[in-house]
Amino acid sequence: MPSGLRRAVGTVRWYVRELLDESAYDRYVAHTRSHDPAVSVPSRREFERMRTDRQESDRPGGFHCC
């Protein structure tokens, strides 16, 4: 694959991950480890559950799709 195409694919992949917030767990792990390397980091599944719980508790009446 030519380097220009590879770079374009990488840019699109990065953009989609940011747009869909797929990189939130990666940022969370990096932040947690940089502040306290000895702390236990939750799995991706546990992180997503915590995130969903927080989002549901922030909205009056619970979760709303729209």
Side-chain angles (χ1 to χ4, degrees), residues 1-12:
M1 183 183 305
S3 65
L5 181 58
R6 184 176 297 136
R7 187 177 12 203
V9 168
T11 301
V12 169

Side-chain angles (χ1 to χ4, degrees), residues 8-20:
V9 168
T11 301
V12 169
R13 181 179 180 274
W14 173 86
Y15 181 76
V16 169
R17 282 179 46 88
E18 290 297 320
L19 184 66
L20 299 176

